[in-house]
Amino acid sequence: MLNFVELLLMFVSVLLAVAFLTVAERKTLGYMQRRVGPNAVGYYGMLMAMADAAKLLLKEMVMPTHADKLMLIMSPMMSLMSAFLCWSFMPFAPGTTMSDHSYGLMFTLAMSSVGVFGTLLAGWSANSKYSLLGSMRSTAQLISYELMLTTMVLLCMLLTGTMNLSKYVELQESMWMGVPLFPMSMMWFMGCVAECARPPFDNVEAESELVSGHMTEYSSSMFVLFFLSEYTSMLFLSTLTSMLFFGGGTGMMLGMKANMFAFTYMWVRATLPRVRYDKLMHMCWVMFLPLLFGLAMFLPSLMYFMDAMVYTYPTM
Amino acid sequence: MQDLPPIGGYEPVQWKRNLPSRGFRPVIYFWLISGAMGYGFYRFYQGVDEQRELTREKQWARFFLQPLLIAEEDRNTARRYFSELKRQELVKESMSDEMKAKFEEEIYHDKSKLRLPRYTAGGPASEH
């Protein structure tokens, strides 16, 4: 029983964090564009999230006539479930995690891959050209960037020799991985922005070309699921960034780091224009991936060398 | 009559923008980042070394503790075995004769194996 209460507590906290992240984003964008943003509901517009949720949930759900209805309903759920399940191995403090599994990082990777199916099936099942084109774009983008992120996570695993996130964080007590892997951490951040399909990589829902990408035919509560999954994965990836490269942390500290990275997503959104789709793909396949494969050859050699040094000069 | 270029040609067109160069030269960034990475790897490997030492210590502690842990487990098994015998005695006292006959029947007929009671009915070990 208490287990379920724990689970509920965690997921409700994640949901609340996501809800307030949307308000935070609108406020941040507002101030960056010299306007106030939402300020009417609650103090400083804090309750805007609740108002938005109420509005979205009370709206009519329009079901396209020719759509594959089961798939149409299932796919946002798939997205949301995968985004939520990613959180289950997150160590919020030493020993404070849903499951302290030795293959937690592997499970997280697997779960974030499942999310792509939600996008893919959403576009296909809606039976609309905009949705289909949008989902083809976004699937290609997500798969490409996931390849990149996975390679980076594998390299981190290789260096630390563990797939357990708690252990991983513990190993960073001597040094944050972001310092020895500084260029890779920058690539990781760009990859994360692309993986979340956030601006400047939001070709998925480029309004001028595709109405709203794979989400075109979605309305009210089904749209909410997609929206939630997008923001959940954004928050998840910023937490994972702080955990993989910036030493994780305990409770508040981790939250602050994650917030900082979540803020950078908005900052980037307010600053940069959208890049062209072929350039996006080019950056992944022609620039980042060869570089990463180079690193994948370089890092083991470096480890071999360092191990030799450690055993030759044990006081190092 | 076509307009011709002026005698001596046009003035050179300035196509290159004269932007002020900001920050350090690229090579300085390269060495800064390399230095940071080198220091990072150095510190990280110190941590790795420490982790290895801790693992080694844990393993050796385990080796020395093993006889004690086995003895403890054996003691626990023996305690459970005798308490089970005692329990059976107590149960038998309050039984009818045919029930008692059934109760005393062997469960396992294979005498080649020794079966120690690892699990007994009742609450946790502290309550026995």
Side-chain angles (χ1 to χ4, degrees):
Chain A
M1 181 63 199
L2 223 54
N3 277 338
F4 289 109
V5 174
E6 252 176 18
L7 271 176
L8 200 70
L9 260 178
M10 198 194 81
F11 285 122
V12 167
S13 331
V14 170
L15 272 174
L16 277 179
V18 165
F20 285 111
L21 184 68
T22 58
V23 186
E25 172 167 34
R26 290 177 63 185
K27 277 302 239 194
T28 317
L29 280 181
Y31 284 124
M32 283 183 176
Q33 295 161 354
R34 299 190 73 191
R35 50 191 178 86
V36 279
N39 65 343
V41 192
Y43 292 107
Y44 303 108
M46 288 265 276
L47 294 179
M48 198 63 217
M50 307 299 148
D52 276 343
K55 183 207 76 177
L56 276 167
L57 292 175
L58 288 176
K59 274 174 92 170
E60 186 193 355
M61 188 151 63
V62 181
M63 192 69 88
T65 329
H66 296 289
D68 186 334
K69 291 189 184 57
L70 179 70
M71 274 299 147
L72 199 74
I73 293 171
M74 285 296 283
S75 44
M77 289 184 190
M78 282 167 76
S79 287
L80 188 66
M81 283 317 292
S82 81
F84 267 144
L85 281 174
C86 285
W87 281 93
S88 46
F89 293 95
M90 232 350 126
F92 298 101
T96 312
T97 164
M98 281 298 117
S99 174
D100 196 8
H101 199 265
S102 11
Y103 296 108
L105 216 47
M106 218 55 187
F107 181 85
T108 307
L109 283 181
M111 272 306 119
S112 57
S113 316
V114 172
V116 180
F117 286 102
T119 318
L120 184 62
L121 290 175
W124 174 77
S125 62
N127 207 353
S128 145
K129 285 189 187 67
Y130 295 115
S131 296
L132 189 67
L133 286 173
S135 91
M136 272 159 68
R137 273 190 179 195
S138 75
T139 309
Q141 177 179 343
L142 291 186
I143 288 176
S144 310
Y145 277 90
E146 192 160 303
L147 195 64
M148 218 178 94
L149 296 190
T150 310
T151 316
M152 286 191 238
V153 170
L154 288 177
L155 283 177
C156 287
M157 279 183 202
L158 180 78
L159 262 180
T160 49
T162 178
M163 293 188 216
N164 182 340
L165 269 164
S166 313
K167 177 88 178 159
Y168 188 95
V169 170
E170 198 186 316
L171 273 166
Q172 285 184 86
E173 275 169 13
S174 58
M175 181 43 87
W176 290 359
M177 289 300 278
V179 180
L181 299 177
F182 177 63
M184 205 168 98
S185 60
M186 288 196 294
M187 270 154 69
W188 166 271
F189 179 71
M190 285 185 246
C192 282
V193 175
E195 176 72 19
C196 292
R198 298 278 303 166
F201 303 123
D202 64 335
N203 303 63
V204 179
E205 40 182 317
E207 291 94 341
S208 49
E209 301 155 30
L210 308 159
V211 180
S212 185
H214 58 277
M215 288 182 275
T216 307
E217 301 295 343
Y218 283 93
S219 49
S220 96
S221 51
M222 291 201 297
F223 174 73
V224 171
L225 295 188
F226 262 128
F227 192 69
L228 278 180
S229 75
E230 191 186 321
Y231 278 79
T232 311
S233 63
M234 193 174 122
L235 213 52
F236 167 74
L237 279 177
S238 42
T239 318
L240 195 66
T241 310
S242 54
M243 204 153 278
L244 278 179
F245 293 104
F246 296 91
T250 302
M252 208 58 182
M253 200 59 218
L254 178 68
M256 274 157 64
K257 283 177 190 171
N259 267 335
M260 205 195 81
F261 288 112
F263 169 73
T264 49
Y265 282 69
M266 291 150 204
W267 190 6
V268 166
R269 176 176 182 177
T271 312
L272 296 172
R274 187 182 293 139
V275 297
R276 231 165 56 198
Y277 191 70
D278 61 319
K279 295 217 170 186
L280 177 72
M281 283 304 179
H282 188 273
M283 187 172 88
C284 179
W285 289 96
V286 184
M287 287 161 69
F288 282 170
L289 267 181
L291 200 59
L292 275 176
F293 290 154
L295 264 176
M297 285 188 273
F298 172 69
L299 283 180
S301 347
L302 190 76
M303 282 168 73
Y304 191 78
F305 171 73
M306 295 291 266
D307 279 347
M309 291 291 279
V310 165
Y311 287 119
T312 323
Y313 310 104
T315 50
M316 192 187 99
Chain B
M1 184 68 185
Q2 194 182 349
D3 278 346
L4 290 171
I7 314 287
Y10 290 109
E11 300 234 319
V13 177
Q14 185 174 359
W15 51 271
K16 197 181 175 196
R17 292 199 295 170
N18 286 321
L19 291 174
S21 68
R22 292 188 303 140
F24 301 116
R25 273 178 294 150
V27 68
I28 294 179
Y29 280 111
F30 176 78
W31 285 117
L32 276 179
I33 291 177
S34 302
M37 281 174 72
Y39 176 69
F41 272 114
Y42 171 70
R43 283 294 302 273
F44 179 68
Y45 251 77
Q46 278 182 335
V48 169
D49 209 17
E50 194 184 325
Q51 286 295 328
R52 282 182 181 146
E53 179 60 23
L54 285 174
T55 313
R56 195 189 63 79
E57 200 176 301
K58 203 167 143 189
Q59 278 170 352
W60 278 101
R62 188 81 196 178
F63 292 158
F64 285 118
L65 273 178
Q66 199 66 21
L68 200 73
L69 293 173
I70 292 173
E72 204 163 281
E73 198 185 319
D74 285 351
R75 212 159 37 231
N76 190 26
T77 309
R79 188 182 55 73
R80 280 173 179 276
Y81 178 64
F82 289 120
S83 84
E84 174 65 13
L85 288 186
K86 193 74 186 293
R87 193 183 70 86
Q88 285 178 7
E89 289 295 319
L90 287 174
V91 169
K92 256 189 279 183
E93 276 172 21
S94 57
M95 269 182 183
S96 63
D97 286 341
E98 69 261 35
M99 196 64 178
K100 203 182 283 182
K102 212 183 243 176
F103 187 76
E104 280 175 343
E105 253 177 44
E106 290 287 333
I107 302 173
Y108 302 109
H109 297 292
D110 183 3
K111 296 279 184 283
S112 67
K113 288 185 180 64
L114 174 67
R115 289 187 177 81
L116 290 168
R118 281 180 187 277
Y119 304 102
T120 52
S126 56
E127 290 172 19
H128 284 280

